[in-house]
Structures are given as C-alpha cells and as structure tokens.
Amino acid sequence: MDAVLMCGGAGSRLEPAAAAEKPLVPVGGVPMVERVRRALAASRVKRVHAVASTRTPRTREWAESADCEVIDGTGEGYVADLDRALDAVGRPALTVAADLPLLAPGTVDRAIDGANGDSLAICVPADLKRDLGASVDTSFEHDGRELAPSGLNVVGEGEDRVVVRDDERLAVNVNRPGDLELARELAE
C-alpha cells in the first residue's frame, strides 16, 4: 500500500512557536515530517508520496531530497489536497499528517492490516489527549465515547470504519505550541 504524507497546510495554529514551515519544525532534533517518513519507511508501506503546496515550498524541497514522490496540493485545505492526492495515487492508500511526529512503524502496519479494503479512521479517545495535555481541536461521539481523529487513516473502496487506539503516540499531533512542547518531551 502506498502512503500519502500530508504536508501542504499553512500551520497557522502553531504560530508563533514555529519559525519554519510546520512540517519542518524539529522534534527531538528531527523535522516532524522526517520522523513520519522514517516511520512509514520502516513499515510495510511501499512508496511515500508527499503532498506539498505553495504554502510549503521548503517542505517540497525536503520531500524531493527524501526521495518522496511530490504531489502538488492546491493549498486550499486538507480535503482538497487529499482529493488531489488520492486521484494521483489511487485507493487503497494510507494517509498521514506530517504533524504526527511520534508515529511508530508498527502502528502503520496495524492500520494497513486492519483495513482489508475498507476505509479506516484511526481515532484516539479525546480524554487521552486531554490527560496528556494535547489539544483537542476536533472530536465526535462514537459508540458512547468522545473520540478525536489521529491524523492516520486508510482510504479504501469498502466500508467506512472507525478504529479506536489508546496510543499516546497517536494522540499527539502538533497543532498548537503546547502540542509541540509535549511532543518534544515525549520524544526524549
């Protein structure tokens, strides 16, 4: 399965903590996007495609040097860039946000294994994020639990399913300055 690494957004919620484009902000001395690419490379993902836009020209340069196939995003938002990427890559595809710097290869492999042709939204309990001190920008109720999207998904042709993982590495996607501080602490 190919992976789509989403790294074309503005990263405006992280300002002013980020002096660089958001995907290039370091966690544990390594840019977040490179940490995610390494997790994908150590998993069973066949190829990594990076979606960059006019908002992330330096990230595009990074992707080209990291041997990722670059897909031009519109810069109009996550959904528009994701649609463009899926048109280029096809389905099924694993999608992951560049701001998930604690992602582990085994987590990626479990998502691939669990998909079986379906679409999976990998979510974490919102309470886990709050307990860690991570921001909860989006949440929804599912089977009586408040869940938050993790930024890791599989987009397939079959049924849409929600999978819940109680994994703090998936609970820390860096959207705000406090998330960056938390990711840096946990990466040590």
Side-chain angles (χ1 to χ4, degrees):
M1 181 177 299
D2 283 3
V4 174
L5 179 52
M6 302 296 293
C7 47
S12 59
R13 293 176 289 183
L14 192 55
E15 295 297 336
E21 292 173 11
K22 180 179 171 182
L24 298 176
V25 172
V27 170
V30 178
M32 286 191 290
V33 69
E34 175 61 15
R35 293 178 66 93
V36 174
R37 189 205 62 79
R38 289 177 185 176
L40 295 171
S43 74
R44 289 196 319 275
V45 163
K46 292 179 183 172
R47 180 147 179 85
V48 178
H49 307 265
V51 180
S53 74
T54 56
R55 295 173 182 251
T56 55
R58 289 183 41 227
T59 302
R60 168 188 287 286
E61 291 171 8
W62 165 86
E64 290 169 347
S65 71
D67 199 30
C68 295
E69 182 178 316
V70 178
I71 297 171
D72 292 318
T74 65
E76 295 172 11
Y78 188 90
V79 173
D81 285 354
L82 179 61
D83 287 343
R84 180 168 280 191
L86 292 173
D87 286 345
V89 173
R91 297 173 188 220
L94 182 114
T95 67
V96 62
D99 63 3
L100 201 59
L102 306 177
L103 183 66
T107 303
V108 173
D109 288 340
R110 282 189 295 283
I112 291 169
D113 291 342
N116 198 29
D118 291 338
S119 291
L120 297 182
I122 311 296
C123 298
V124 296
D127 286 342
L128 173 61
K129 290 178 74 74
R130 289 186 188 102
D131 290 347
L132 288 168
S135 65
V136 180
D137 291 324
T138 302
S139 68
F140 62 97
E141 291 291 323
H142 180 76
D143 289 339
R145 294 177 80 183
E146 184 187 11
L147 302 178
S150 70
L152 177 66
N153 302 284
V154 175
V155 181
E157 297 292 348
E159 176 184 349
D160 292 335
R161 294 187 287 133
V162 172
V163 174
V164 181
R165 297 279 188 251
D166 288 297
D167 184 341
E168 69 182 32
R169 294 169 300 184
L170 288 174
V172 182
N173 56 327
V174 178
N175 288 318
R176 303 197 180 276
D179 300 329
L180 179 58
E181 184 179 316
L182 177 61
R184 287 175 171 164
E185 288 172 12
L186 293 174
E188 294 177 355

